[in-house]
Amino acid sequence: MNSLVSRIALQFFAAFLVFSALQFPAYARPFILEEATVESIHAAFAAKTLTCTALVKSYLARMAAYDKQGPALRAIITVNPGALGVAAKLDKQYIDSKGRVGSLHCIPIILKDNFNTSDMPTSGGNVAMKDSVPPSDAFTVDKMRKAGAVILAKSNLQEFARGGVSISSLGGQVLNPYDFTRTPGGSSGGTGAAITSNFAVLGTGSDTGQSIRSPASACSLVGVRPTRGLVSRAGVMPNSFTQDEIGPITRTVKDAAKLLDVMVGYDPKDPITAFGVGRTPASYAAGLNPNALKGARIGVMDNLYGKEERHAEVNAVMEQVIKSMEAKGATVIRFTLPEYDKLAPALATDRFEARSAMDKYFAELGDGAPVKSFQQLVDSKTASPYIQKIIEAEIAIEDGLNNQTYKDRTLSRDKLRLAVSSKMAELKLDAILYPLQKIIVVPTGQQEQPERNGTLSNGTGFPAVTFPGGFSAPSATAPLGIPVGAELLGRDYSEPLLLSLAYSFEQTTKTRKAPLSTPVLK
C-alpha cells in the first residue's frame, strides 16, 4: 500500500512540475544577472520581473566591486555618467510603446575605448587623449543606440590598439579574470575581461591583427572578425586602412549574432562597405542552426598548430574540439598549407598605413580636440614606452602608401587569399579550424603575445569566429584553468555559416565557464 501511495505521489509531483513549467515558463522565473543574454533580459522585461534601471544599476554595482576594487581588473576606463538617465528613458519608452522596442532595447554594452562616443571621451588608452570627446558617435555606435542599447562604459585596451597584452598609459595593465598573473589578450583585453566578468551583456573590439579574437580566446568568449567590407570602421581610432575590422565580443554565439545584426550596413564614410551591400542575411541571429555541424566539412590546418611541449595544453583542447565536432556529425580533413608559412611573415600593411590613417582620424575631431595630429601625439611622448617606440616608427614612414614593400605586401595578401580559397575548393571545405593562439595567454609583464594565428584572417580579409574551446589544466593561480579559444575561418561573407558552426558546437558542449574571481554580489 505504501508503495502504491509513493508511486501516486511521485506521479502527482511530476504532473505538478509539468503544469508549473507550462504556467510559469522560463522567462517568468526570477531573473539572474550573471551570464544573462539579450534573450533572457528581454524575456524578463516582458514578464515584468526586471526594469532597465534595475538592470543598469546591477551592472554598475559589479563594475564598482570588481574593476578598481577586489581583483582590480582595470578593464574599464570610463563609466557613462548618463547611463541611469538613459535607462529611465528606456523604461518609459517600454511602457509607452507596450514593449514594441528596438532589438537591443536596454542591452548594456561596453565599447573598446577607440570607438567614438559624443558623450564620453575616446582616449585610445592614452593620457594625452583622456579628454578628447569626438563631435559624433562612430557609425556603429549610432546604430546601437538607435536599436535601444545603453552604452554603459568604455574599456581599457592595448594603447592605440598596437599590440596584444592590453596595457595603456591611461588605464594600466588589464588582468585576466581567470588568472591574475596573466594578460587577458589584446588589444581589446578590457572588453574581454569586462564581458567575461559580467560587467555588461555585449562588448565591442577592433581587430587589426587579432585584437577581437585574442581576448575572446583568453577570456572564454565569442569574438567575430567580419569580412572586410561588412562593417563600417568610420569613427573608430585606426591602425590601418587595409587590416582594421571591428566586431562583437560576447559570452554566447547568439548574442554575437544579435550585435552583428545591428552593426552591419553601408556607410559612405567607409566606402569599403559598398562591397557588403546585398551580402547580409535578414538576421544572423535568427538563422543560427544548432545542427550545422552535421554533414559539415571542417579543415584542420596542421601548420597552425605548434609541435613543441609548450603547445601541448592548447593542442589537447583543440583535439577535444575536433572530437566534439566529429561526434556532432562533422567530417574533419587535416591538411597543410605551405604557402601560409611562406607568405605570413610579409603580409602586414599597418605600419605603412598608420600615419595616413591616424592623420585622417585627427582631422575629423575638429578644432576643439586636445590633440590635433598624429605628429602632435607622438611628440607628446605620453604613450607607454613600448607603444611610444611603435608610433615613432610609424610616423617615420612618410610616404608609406607608395613604399615598394607596402605594394609587395598588398600583392602577397592577394596570393594568400587565392591559396586559401583554392585549398578550400580542392578539399570541399566549409571552414578551417585552428587555435587562435598556439600557446596559452602570456603572463603580465611581457610586451607581446607570441604565436598567434590571426594572420590567416587579417592577411586575407576572410571572416573568422573565435569561440570557447576549453581550458588548460587548473593551477594555483588559475583554479578553472586558462581559457583556450578555437577559431573557424571561411570565405567572404560566410558569417552565417561560421556562426552556425560555432553555435552548434556551443549548444552541444556548453564549454564556457564564468571566472571565479567575480562572483555573484550579495
Side-chain angles (χ1 to χ4, degrees):
M1 184 67 178
N2 287 341
S3 170
L4 178 62
V5 170
S6 297
R7 287 200 302 273
I8 292 172
L10 285 171
Q11 289 170 356
F12 176 81
F13 182 62
F16 174 76
L17 289 177
V18 171
F19 174 78
S20 297
L22 291 172
Q23 297 300 311
F24 304 101
Y27 63 77
R29 296 168 196 162
F31 174 72
I32 298 173
L33 180 74
E34 291 72 26
E35 302 296 285
T37 64
V38 173
E39 201 168 63
S40 71
I41 288 168
H42 284 175
F45 289 154
K48 300 181 180 179
T49 59
L50 181 67
T51 65
C52 186
T53 299
L55 180 69
V56 169
K57 282 182 177 178
S58 296
Y59 282 121
L60 291 174
R62 287 186 62 81
M63 272 191 275
Y66 297 130
D67 192 60
K68 301 299 186 287
Q69 303 180 59
L73 298 175
R74 293 190 285 276
I76 302 298
I77 285 180
T78 304
V79 176
N80 185 356
L84 285 173
V86 173
K89 290 178 182 177
L90 290 171
D91 277 330
K92 183 177 185 304
Q93 181 190 27
Y94 194 84
I95 293 169
D96 293 345
S97 68
K98 297 181 180 179
R100 292 187 293 274
V101 291
S103 63
L104 296 183
H105 176 80
C106 190
I107 298 302
I109 294 180
I110 290 175
L111 302 173
K112 185 177 183 178
D113 200 20
N114 59 352
F115 280 66
N116 282 0
T117 45
S118 60
D119 54 352
M120 285 179 281
T122 299
S123 72
N126 176 256
V127 293
M129 298 285 289
K130 65 183 179 63
D131 298 318
S132 182
V133 180
S136 60
D137 287 338
F139 177 80
T140 50
V141 174
D142 179 61
K143 293 194 76 179
M144 292 173 210
R145 293 198 208 257
K146 286 176 178 174
V150 179
I151 307 304
L152 195 60
K154 308 287 288 291
S155 63
N156 197 2
L157 65 156
Q158 178 86 7
E159 198 160 359
F160 299 122
R162 262 63 164 186
V165 298
S166 296
I167 187 170
S168 69
S169 63
L170 184 58
Q173 172 68 64
V174 186
L175 301 182
N176 190 313
Y178 293 89
D179 184 343
F180 301 151
T181 71
R182 294 181 183 271
T183 82
S187 62
S188 312
T191 301
I195 297 303
T196 202
S197 299
N198 287 277
F199 289 178
V201 186
L202 308 176
T204 67
S206 61
D207 191 311
T208 305
Q210 44 260 307
S211 291
I212 289 170
R213 298 163 291 146
S214 171
S217 174
C219 296
S220 196
L221 297 169
V222 177
V224 181
R225 178 186 166 100
T227 302
R228 177 169 162 75
L230 189 66
V231 178
S232 170
R233 302 152 308 168
V236 179
M237 196 179 295
N239 275 14
S240 163
F241 298 121
T242 305
Q243 289 183 223
D244 285 355
E245 299 298 337
I246 64 172
I249 299 175
T250 64
R251 291 185 290 270
T252 70
V253 175
K254 182 173 280 188
D255 277 354
K258 285 178 178 290
L259 183 51
L260 191 62
D261 278 336
V262 171
M263 295 180 77
V264 299
Y266 171 66
D267 176 13
K269 290 186 177 179
D270 187 5
I272 195 71
T273 55
F275 289 115
V277 174
R279 306 299 298 271
T280 58
S283 169
Y284 293 99
L288 291 175
N289 177 8
N291 297 312
L293 282 168
K294 186 175 181 179
R297 290 177 63 83
I298 307 295
V300 170
M301 189 166 155
D302 286 335
N303 48 323
L304 292 181
Y305 293 71
K307 305 294 190 292
E308 308 296 330
E309 180 59 31
R310 67 181 181 278
H311 305 119
E313 288 191 295
V314 168
N315 289 348
V317 169
M318 291 304 300
E319 284 303 313
Q320 189 56 53
V321 171
I322 291 166
K323 288 179 181 177
S324 296
M325 288 186 170
E326 288 178 324
K328 189 73 174 175
T331 299
V332 170
I333 301 96
R334 296 179 187 264
F335 72 96
T336 299
L337 189 69
E339 294 94 331
Y340 176 83
D341 294 331
K342 296 174 186 175
L343 294 168
L347 291 171
T349 54
D350 51 330
R351 69 187 179 96
F352 299 97
E353 298 172 332
R355 181 171 182 159
S356 296
M358 289 292 278
D359 278 338
K360 180 177 183 295
Y361 175 81
F362 282 113
E364 294 169 352
L365 290 181
D367 294 337
V371 178
K372 296 179 173 61
S373 70
F374 191 32
Q375 186 69 62
Q376 182 185 346
L377 175 67
V378 174
D379 290 346
S380 74
K381 297 189 182 299
T382 52
S384 51
Y386 179 68
I387 302 304
Q388 183 67 31
K389 290 179 182 178
I390 290 176
I391 60 176
E392 286 175 358
E394 289 174 348
I395 204 164
I397 303 174
E398 293 188 9
D399 194 18
L401 301 185
N402 287 316
N403 187 291
Q404 186 58 49
T405 302
Y406 173 70
K407 294 177 181 179
D408 291 343
R409 291 188 173 200
T410 301
L411 181 60
S412 292
R413 294 171 65 83
D414 289 337
K415 290 178 181 178
L416 184 60
R417 277 178 63 85
L418 180 59
V420 174
S421 296
S422 297
K423 182 57 71 171
M424 291 186 72
E426 174 192 335
L427 300 177
K428 298 181 174 62
L429 300 180
D430 294 303
I432 298 174
L433 174 71
Y434 49 91
L436 188 275
Q437 297 176 169
K438 295 178 186 176
I439 59 174
I440 57 176
V441 71
V442 296
T444 56
Q446 295 196 28
Q447 300 284 7
E448 264 299 350
Q449 170 68 44
E451 301 197 66
R452 301 196 289 181
N453 288 326
T455 300
L456 192 65
S457 177
N458 74 53
T460 59
F462 292 150
V465 175
T466 304
F467 54 95
F471 290 80
S472 68
S475 68
T477 58
L480 292 176
I482 298 161
V484 173
E487 181 156 298
L488 287 163
L489 175 134
R491 300 174 179 85
D492 283 344
Y493 305 104
S494 64
E495 284 86 353
L497 174 59
L498 296 177
L499 287 164
S500 280
L501 292 171
Y503 182 68
S504 183
F505 178 84
E506 173 192 74
Q507 296 303 297
T508 302
T509 63
K510 307 292 184 185
T511 301
R512 173 175 158 76
K513 300 174 189 173
L516 301 179
S517 62
T518 54
V520 176
L521 289 178
K522 295 182 180 178

mmCIF file of all heavy atoms in Angstrom, residues 37 69 279 397:
data_model
loop_
_atom_site.group_PDB
_atom_site.id
_atom_site.type_symbol
_atom_site.label_atom_id
_atom_site.label_comp_id
_atom_site.label_asym_id
_atom_site.label_seq_id
_atom_site.Cartn_x
_atom_site.Cartn_y
_atom_site.Cartn_z
ATOM 1 N N THR A 37 21.706 37.025 -21.103
ATOM 2 C CA THR A 37 21.788 37.217 -22.545
ATOM 3 C C THR A 37 20.767 38.256 -22.979
ATOM 4 O O THR A 37 19.879 38.645 -22.204
ATOM 5 C CB THR A 37 21.502 35.902 -23.285
ATOM 6 O OG1 THR A 37 20.137 35.515 -23.019
ATOM 7 C CG2 THR A 37 22.450 34.794 -22.852
ATOM 8 N N GLN A 69 38.349 47.765 -7.397
ATOM 9 C CA GLN A 69 38.464 47.130 -6.084
ATOM 10 C C GLN A 69 38.488 45.620 -6.264
ATOM 11 O O GLN A 69 38.439 45.117 -7.375
ATOM 12 C CB GLN A 69 37.277 47.535 -5.203
ATOM 13 C CG GLN A 69 37.112 49.034 -5.018
ATOM 14 C CD GLN A 69 35.924 49.344 -4.130
ATOM 15 O OE1 GLN A 69 35.872 48.917 -2.982
ATOM 16 N NE2 GLN A 69 34.957 50.083 -4.647
ATOM 17 N N ARG A 279 24.865 41.467 -49.250
ATOM 18 C CA ARG A 279 25.560 40.242 -48.833
ATOM 19 C C ARG A 279 25.215 39.824 -47.405
ATOM 20 O O ARG A 279 25.861 38.947 -46.846
ATOM 21 C CB ARG A 279 27.076 40.438 -48.940
ATOM 22 C CG ARG A 279 27.570 40.895 -50.302
ATOM 23 C CD ARG A 279 27.264 39.903 -51.419
ATOM 24 N NE ARG A 279 27.904 38.630 -51.227
ATOM 25 C CZ ARG A 279 29.124 38.314 -51.657
ATOM 26 N NH1 ARG A 279 29.833 39.219 -52.333
ATOM 27 N NH2 ARG A 279 29.624 37.130 -51.461
ATOM 28 N N ILE A 397 57.712 56.763 -41.274
ATOM 29 C CA ILE A 397 57.450 56.339 -42.656
ATOM 30 C C ILE A 397 56.572 57.407 -43.302
ATOM 31 O O ILE A 397 55.353 57.414 -43.138
ATOM 32 C CB ILE A 397 56.764 54.956 -42.695
ATOM 33 C CG1 ILE A 397 57.607 53.917 -41.968
ATOM 34 C CG2 ILE A 397 56.527 54.524 -44.141
ATOM 35 C CD1 ILE A 397 56.942 52.561 -41.834
#
